[in-house]
Amino acid sequence: MTNITKPLSSNRKRNAEELNDTSPSSGPGDSESVRKRVRWDGEDQEVSDNENGDDDETESQDDECTEKICLAMSCQFGRVGCAYYDPQVCKMYIFEDSQENAHYDLTSMLLDQVEPDVVLTSSKAEDMFIDVLRAHVDSSGSVFQLRPHKDFLPNKGRDRILSLRLLSELVNYGAEENTTSDRSSDSEPRNAYDFMRRRKEGKGDPTGQRWNASVRLANYASLECAPLCLGSIGALLDHIARMRAVADLDDEGIGGLEIRAIEYLPLKQVMQINADALQSLQIFETENHASVNSDNTKEGLSLFGILNNTKTSLGRLLMREWLLRPSLSIPVITARHDAVACFMHPDNLTLATTMHNHLQGIKNIPKTMKALKVGKAKLSDWQSVVKFAFHSVMLNNSLPELSRSGDIDILRKLSHVLEVASFKDIGTAVNEMIDWDESALWGRVCVRPHIDEALDAQKHVYAGLDSILSTVAHRISPTVPSDYARSVNVVYFPQLGFLVSVPMRDEWNEHGVVELEGWTFQFSSEENAYFKNKEMRDLDKHIGDVQPAIADREIEIVYDLQMKVLEYEKAISAACDVCAELDCLLSFADASRAYNFNRPEMSEDNVIDIKGGRHPLQELVVDTFVPNDAYLVGGDFDGLIDPQEGEDSENESISPRDNHSILVCTGANACGKAKCVPQAGVCGPMERLNGGDKHIGCFVPAERATLGIVDKIFTRIQTRESVSKVQSAFMIDLNQVSLALRNCTSRSLILLDEFGKGTLATDGAGLFCGILQHFVGRGNDCPKVIAATHFHDIFRQDILDPDSLPVTFVHMQVLFTTSKGELLGASDTGTLSAFEEDTTADHTEAEGGSMIRPGEGITYLYRVEKGLWLNSHAAMCAEIFGLPRSVVQRARYVSFLLSTRELGQLLDEDMNEGERTELAQAEEVCKRFLAWDLQTEMEGEEDVNEKLAAVLGRAPDE
């Protein structure tokens, strides 16, 4: 391979400018800052290139070596993961394991976007994947290296990345001076114990550093379920360390690499959605088999489960690929919307169902073509070819009958790739050549009669073989002595030829088989012995081994047919790809019709405007689902919607159309906030949950929706805890939020549900407050944020003023009623507390009601209303759902004391009557003493004594 240095692309130039703006004197590409590190007598010294007498050519070669972009990539079992290092900005970019298709479109997309100078891959990677890498390397002039598989082991990759200084070293302020003084004063270590102690003091505890690194790694990326990505990281870091050792004589290894950050590799054409977001939004849900001994799984209640009505295996794989990598192309998404709308048109319902049934007959043809190539095609594979030809012709015949299909892109593509004449000829040739009944009988592919004369003659001989054998047996029988064998048979065995068979005698088992004159013993079984004689050799010579001859001839004929079919391999594969896309679109049309999904309006603006949105999964498991509205604008888009238009809009609950990027939802416990957050998250981007090079647009569960592009989705909804992790539940939540803060843009969507609840209430509220202030401070770069919280104390003027904060506040509406059905209040719009709950123990009795029973006291409407609601009504919720009434009353009383700052009254509950009387008297004395004006009433010592006596309630002489 040749090593050709390519000019910097626009992306690299931009990264280089970014580095020069941040640290102009420390960039690896700056020729003035290049230093070689040399070790003399155990000390590191930096020597410049000019001092060593290096000429300009050598320096330019060193710069060329350090500016190369290296990409490590691996693909196994249909999944691909990669990592690459950009020396211009000293950043490592990673791409988590993702599903790859049969054409390796994702691999090609990654290579085209990164434009690497060096490409590394594992020796155990898939062969076709390696071919794609080689083809790209040959066309671009970069270097390709096939590394041993041991370099791509996940455990090795984890060890390498945890050794980076970015992760392992924590800032320890004030420790440098102490360390320097200790080193200067102490002498050299005298033994191994001193050496280890000195190492721990100087570099820190290795175990503690590894734990810190593993925790900090989760802030940058979630690599727990990405073994291919981890292995690629290990191979990448090993390669960079080796190159640095050769070029710079640096012996610090991986720990000395200058990596300033670790970021996700954002694909330009698809949305970034990580594993946490996929699980939180229930895009996929795998259910294990009931038996612990079975590894079988099935799809549970998930978005993929309700949308997947595909008829082909290729369609199912393609839909999963779309959901994993959503598209960012509005024109293509709109084209898919047009297709779904066409299939949902009342005039096309019957025809769409017929087309979907025809797709069911199209099997995994690429797999069949692969079997044909290697000569391992079974009878079922040939049947798949015939079915494909038949159903493709039927699909093509159905296209003109569709109404309003003139501008549908998928139908034009389908009409183009369905070469009806060619496919019809293929199906006819296969069906006329293969004898299906005989093939099923013999378990191999057999040829019909009248295809080949020589084959027909051999089959004719084989068909009359029984009469020939019977005739020969009658001719041989008189020549066999009666005491030698009671009967004689002539049999035919493929590969062995014709044999004389006689019954096996008992003495032959002990003394050996006795041969007649002219007979040659061949072999024996428990019942018969088999011999060759002159007649059998004549049959072998004139008739031959007829059955293998028939099979060999049929193989030759089928091979010619196989070559004829393979001439149309590309056309058949292209037709299967389009049929898989059609299968997905028809499946989306079925789901949109069944679940009452409507077409959204795509917009170039950074907006999510949903009218009557529903959660597509939640509404399937409840009797009645209440739809809600949502409105968000990413960044600062003043004037995006005309204020007059906002006033006249039907969306009264969310208008006046404040162009805010942040929506905060509050409300009572169990009011539905937890479903409100993912509802907007699933409903908003659902029509873009498609990806790869194939694009799709599904209708959304809403009455009306205007949706812009979302480039990334981050969630803090579910905490995926595990005993194998070194992190607590709260630390996992922090990692999810940290990942969102590091990677979000103004086009991103962030969903936060009760962030901060896993720690002390004050600390959690402070973190939540800080995150909101951070997003607000971003201004035009603020992402779209939907958050639900019970931290009500932060929404006040001295912390987060709800009146001046650019945040849209909503709450879930509730009604308060007595047990007799009388309405006490409701959470009205703009009211902080429409119904003040009485915190005294006799509240229920004072209202004339009885104990609150389930369904009484508070009614959850699950309806989003504009305004901030600062009462969680936890006590009432607890009583409704079964907590003892005495416990709830006690909780209300303590809550009341906390709100009035009179918690000290709880200390008075354990005192007896005498102690209470004494405490009351002491309180009266304190009040009289505090009411004494010492400046005006102090005249003499006697007056003071008298006044003190009066305060204490005693006589002056006491």
Side-chain angles (χ1 to χ4, degrees):
M1 296 296 176
T2 58
N3 186 359
I4 302 177
T5 302
K6 299 178 295 183
L8 288 177
S9 64
S10 59
N11 187 26
R12 297 186 205 174
K13 291 179 180 178
R14 183 174 64 254
N15 293 339
E17 293 173 358
E18 176 185 348
L19 179 63
N20 293 332
D21 293 339
T22 54
S23 56
S25 62
S26 61
D30 192 351
S31 59
E32 297 180 359
S33 64
V34 175
R35 294 289 187 270
K36 289 187 177 180
R37 193 176 298 242
V38 185
R39 183 174 294 274
W40 299 101
D41 297 331
E43 297 181 358
D44 290 342
Q45 296 181 359
E46 291 186 354
V47 182
S48 65
D49 292 338
N50 294 332
E51 293 175 357
N52 289 334
D54 295 339
D55 54 12
D56 296 338
E57 181 179 358
T58 304
E59 183 176 354
S60 63
Q61 290 178 357
D62 292 339
D63 291 341
E64 175 185 337
C65 187
T66 58
E67 290 178 359
K68 291 181 179 179
I69 290 184
C70 181
L71 169 69
M73 206 170 188
S74 182
C75 181
Q76 289 182 345
F77 308 110
R79 298 181 65 83
V80 63
C82 72
Y84 84 93
Y85 176 68
D86 191 342
Q88 294 290 338
V89 294
C90 297
K91 291 183 179 179
M92 183 171 66
Y93 296 88
I94 61 176
F95 186 78
E96 293 182 0
D97 297 4
S98 186
Q99 192 71 33
E100 180 59 286
N101 57 24
H103 305 289
Y104 296 92
D105 294 328
L106 178 60
T107 301
S108 301
M109 186 189 309
L110 291 170
L111 292 171
D112 293 338
Q113 180 171 332
V114 177
E115 297 182 1
D117 299 298
V118 180
V119 179
L120 311 175
T121 191
S122 170
S123 59
K124 288 190 177 181
E126 297 178 0
D127 294 338
M128 293 184 63
F129 170 78
I130 296 178
D131 294 340
V132 172
L133 297 184
R134 289 186 185 275
H136 177 84
V137 167
D138 293 340
S139 62
S140 63
S142 53
V143 178
F144 177 77
Q145 293 186 12
L146 193 64
R147 304 297 303 169
H149 180 65
K150 63 181 181 180
D151 292 350
F152 282 81
L153 295 178
N155 293 335
K156 186 176 181 179
R158 179 176 291 276
D159 294 337
R160 295 295 185 269
I161 194 172
L162 294 182
S163 301
L164 295 176
R165 288 185 300 185
L166 173 68
L167 302 177
S168 61
E169 293 186 2
L170 296 177
V171 178
N172 188 8
Y173 298 101
E176 296 181 359
E177 298 180 359
N178 297 333
T179 304
T180 303
S181 61
D182 292 341
R183 288 182 179 178
S184 61
S185 59
D186 293 346
S187 59
E188 292 296 327
R190 299 180 179 178
N191 51 45
Y193 297 102
D194 292 341
F195 173 78
M196 293 302 297
R197 177 181 58 81
R198 187 73 55 81
R199 179 188 177 189
K200 184 174 181 179
E201 292 175 355
K203 297 185 178 180
D205 184 10
T207 303
Q209 287 183 349
R210 182 178 177 84
W211 185 84
N212 291 330
S214 62
V215 172
R216 297 186 69 189
L217 175 61
N219 295 332
Y220 293 94
S222 178
L223 299 177
E224 298 154 355
C225 301
L228 296 177
C229 181
L230 271 177
S232 300
I233 291 173
L236 173 67
L237 294 178
D238 276 348
H239 176 80
I240 297 175
R242 285 195 299 269
M243 294 301 100
R244 285 172 55 91
V246 173
D248 298 337
L249 300 179
D250 191 351
D251 62 349
E252 294 186 17
I254 294 176
L257 293 180
E258 186 64 28
I259 296 181
R260 298 192 298 117
I262 301 173
E263 295 182 3
Y264 277 109
L265 173 59
L267 294 179
K268 298 177 181 178
Q269 303 178 15
V270 298
M271 181 196 299
Q272 176 183 330
I273 177 169
N274 58 12
D276 288 328
L278 289 173
Q279 183 181 27
S280 299
L281 298 179
Q282 292 180 269
I283 307 301
F284 301 101
E285 186 69 30
T286 302
E287 293 184 357
N288 295 326
H289 194 274
S291 174
V292 295
N293 298 320
S294 176
D295 296 332
N296 295 331
T297 60
K298 66 176 182 179
E299 189 68 25
L301 181 63
S302 63
L303 184 62
F304 175 72
I306 66 173
L307 297 181
N308 180 30
N309 192 29
T310 55
K311 303 296 184 179
T312 66
S313 58
L314 292 178
R316 182 170 59 255
L317 294 175
L318 184 60
M319 180 180 292
R320 178 175 289 272
E321 180 183 340
W322 287 346
L323 293 175
L324 287 172
R325 292 192 294 274
S327 173
L328 302 181
S329 175
I330 290 182
V332 177
I333 294 173
T334 303
R336 299 303 185 262
H337 287 162
D338 294 340
V340 175
C342 175
F343 296 140
M344 291 182 62
H345 194 273
D347 295 340
N348 296 331
L349 293 182
T350 303
L351 195 57
T353 303
T354 302
M355 294 176 64
H356 216 175
N357 291 333
H358 284 309
L359 289 174
Q360 191 171 2
I362 298 179
K363 304 302 180 181
N364 193 347
I365 299 299
K367 184 178 179 181
T368 301
M369 294 292 107
K370 183 178 180 180
L372 290 176
K373 277 185 176 181
V374 298
K376 295 183 178 180
K378 301 178 181 178
L379 182 63
S380 58
D381 296 324
W382 290 105
Q383 290 174 342
S384 298
V385 173
V386 175
K387 290 181 179 179
F388 166 78
F390 170 76
H391 291 290
S392 62
V393 172
M394 298 302 296
L395 278 175
N396 188 74
N397 295 337
S398 302
L399 296 181
E401 301 179 16
L402 286 170
S403 62
R404 301 184 181 183
S405 60
D407 297 330
I408 306 303
D409 182 65
I410 183 64
L411 299 181
R412 287 198 300 267
K413 291 166 58 178
L414 191 65
S415 177
H416 176 72
V417 299
L418 291 181
E419 300 181 7
V420 176
S422 301
F423 294 164
K424 187 175 182 180
D425 292 343
I426 292 174
T428 302
V430 173
N431 190 51
E432 290 180 350
M433 184 171 293
I434 296 179
D435 191 332
W436 305 107
D437 296 334
E438 187 178 355
S439 299
L441 178 64
W442 288 100
R444 57 182 176 85
V445 180
C446 299
V447 179
R448 290 181 184 272
H450 311 298
I451 300 296
D452 184 80
E453 292 183 1
L455 178 63
D456 291 343
Q458 290 175 337
K459 287 187 175 182
H460 179 72
V461 172
Y462 185 79
L465 201 58
D466 290 341
S467 61
I468 296 175
L469 297 179
S470 179
T471 302
V472 174
H474 281 89
R475 187 168 64 246
I476 295 176
S477 180
T479 63
V480 178
S482 60
D483 59 344
Y484 183 81
R486 299 186 302 273
S487 62
V488 177
N489 291 322
V490 177
V491 296
Y492 166 74
F493 288 107
Q495 307 297 332
L496 299 178
F498 297 91
L499 299 170
V500 177
S501 173
V502 298
M504 190 71 177
R505 301 176 63 175
D506 295 337
E507 58 270 18
W508 289 355
N509 292 325
E510 298 179 1
H511 306 288
V513 177
V514 177
E515 298 178 350
L516 294 178
E517 183 179 358
W519 286 28
T520 304
F521 174 72
Q522 299 297 312
F523 63 92
S524 64
S525 63
E526 294 182 358
E527 297 179 354
N528 298 310
Y530 298 91
F531 303 86
K532 283 278 190 183
N533 60 9
K534 182 179 180 300
E535 288 81 0
M536 300 301 103
R537 294 185 182 93
D538 291 340
L539 290 175
D540 291 340
K541 181 179 179 180
H542 292 90
I543 298 179
D545 202 354
V546 62
Q547 186 175 359
I550 292 173
D552 292 342
R553 183 53 186 162
E554 286 181 332
I555 290 176
E556 294 176 359
I557 297 174
V558 172
Y559 176 78
D560 294 336
L561 177 63
Q562 174 181 315
M563 291 297 102
K564 182 179 180 180
V565 173
L566 289 177
E567 291 178 0
Y568 300 93
E569 179 186 3
K570 292 184 178 179
I572 293 175
S573 298
C576 289
D577 292 339
V578 178
C579 288
E581 187 175 351
L582 176 65
D583 191 10
C584 292
L585 292 174
L586 289 170
S587 181
F588 282 126
D590 292 343
S592 300
R593 188 185 310 110
Y595 303 117
N596 192 25
F597 292 172
N598 295 306
R599 177 172 182 169
E601 177 184 353
M602 302 306 301
S603 173
E604 294 288 349
D605 297 324
N606 191 8
V607 62
I608 292 180
D609 185 7
I610 301 173
K611 174 67 176 179
R614 313 186 307 275
H615 194 291
L617 304 180
Q618 181 71 12
E619 66 176 346
L620 298 179
V621 296
V622 296
D623 296 333
T624 303
F625 188 89
V626 180
N628 286 300
D629 304 342
Y631 182 78
L632 281 175
V633 176
D636 186 8
F637 281 79
D638 294 334
L640 179 65
I641 294 180
D642 188 4
Q644 184 65 31
E645 181 182 350
E647 294 177 2
D648 298 337
S649 174
E650 299 178 2
N651 194 358
E652 296 295 339
S653 61
I654 305 299
S655 58
R657 298 296 194 180
D658 302 318
N659 292 334
H660 294 159
S661 301
I662 305 175
L663 185 146
V664 176
C665 181
T666 58
N669 286 99
C671 65
K673 298 189 302 299
K675 289 301 177 184
C676 177
V677 173
Q679 172 182 330
V682 172
C683 181
M686 194 182 73
E687 87 293 344
R688 289 182 304 281
L689 289 183
N690 49 71
D693 291 335
K694 315 294 183 191
H695 302 276
I696 187 173
C698 182
F699 289 2
V700 298
E703 296 178 10
R704 186 178 67 250
T706 300
L707 303 164
I709 290 296
V710 174
D711 61 352
K712 304 175 185 177
I713 296 181
F714 300 98
T715 62
R716 207 318 306 160
I717 298 177
Q718 292 184 358
T719 304
R720 296 195 297 171
E721 298 183 65
S722 174
V723 295
S724 61
K725 293 183 179 180
V726 294
Q727 303 164 342
S728 64
F730 179 63
M731 194 175 296
I732 295 174
D733 294 348
L734 290 176
N735 288 332
Q736 294 177 353
V737 176
S738 175
L739 188 66
L741 295 178
R742 294 176 187 273
N743 295 278
C744 67
T745 66
S746 61
R747 287 277 182 179
S748 302
L749 176 64
I750 300 178
L751 308 176
L752 304 175
D753 183 22
E754 300 291 353
F755 171 69
K757 65 181 180 180
T759 185
L760 189 64
T762 54
D763 294 340
L767 286 170
F768 181 75
C769 177
I771 289 174
L772 287 186
Q773 288 181 328
H774 170 79
F775 286 135
V776 170
R778 285 196 173 193
N780 293 341
D781 295 330
C782 180
K784 297 179 285 292
V785 181
I786 302 178
T789 184
H790 279 291
F791 294 135
H792 301 153
D793 294 341
I794 64 176
F795 300 115
R796 58 189 190 189
Q797 293 183 354
D798 53 345
I799 302 180
L800 292 178
D801 187 4
D803 296 329
S804 60
L805 200 66
V807 174
T808 300
F809 289 97
V810 297
H811 67 275
M812 305 301 291
Q813 190 179 25
V814 294
L815 294 178
F816 305 96
T817 58
T818 64
S819 58
K820 298 180 180 180
E822 299 176 356
L823 181 63
L824 297 176
S827 55
D828 297 330
T829 301
T831 305
L832 295 183
S833 182
F835 171 62
E836 294 296 338
E837 182 181 357
D838 192 348
T839 55
T840 58
D842 58 348
H843 165 72
T844 306
E845 289 78 7
E847 293 293 332
S850 59
M851 181 186 302
I852 299 177
R853 295 184 296 272
E856 295 183 347
I858 183 172
T859 302
Y860 301 103
L861 301 182
Y862 305 106
R863 181 184 302 159
V864 175
E865 289 290 340
K866 186 175 177 59
L868 183 63
W869 184 261
L870 300 182
N871 198 334
S872 295
H873 302 286
M876 184 176 292
C877 178
E879 187 169 355
I880 290 175
F881 292 101
L883 251 64
R885 189 162 183 255
S886 59
V887 175
V888 175
Q889 289 178 345
R890 178 65 176 178
R892 287 174 172 170
Y893 177 65
V894 175
S895 178
F896 172 75
L897 295 180
L898 284 172
S899 61
T900 58
R901 294 179 175 82
E902 295 182 0
L903 195 61
Q905 294 186 18
L906 297 178
L907 302 176
D908 302 344
E909 295 181 351
D910 295 335
M911 294 187 299
N912 55 34
E913 191 64 31
E915 291 174 338
R916 290 193 181 93
T917 302
E918 184 178 352
L919 180 62
Q921 294 175 354
E923 185 177 357
E924 291 296 328
V925 170
C926 291
K927 290 180 180 179
R928 289 195 296 268
F929 180 78
L930 293 175
W932 183 13
D933 190 353
L934 298 177
Q935 294 182 353
T936 59
E937 298 182 11
M938 284 185 58
E939 297 180 356
E941 183 179 352
E942 296 180 357
D943 295 337
V944 172
N945 293 334
E946 292 178 357
K947 188 64 176 178
L948 286 174
V951 169
L952 296 174
R954 300 176 182 176
D957 55 352
E958 295 181 359

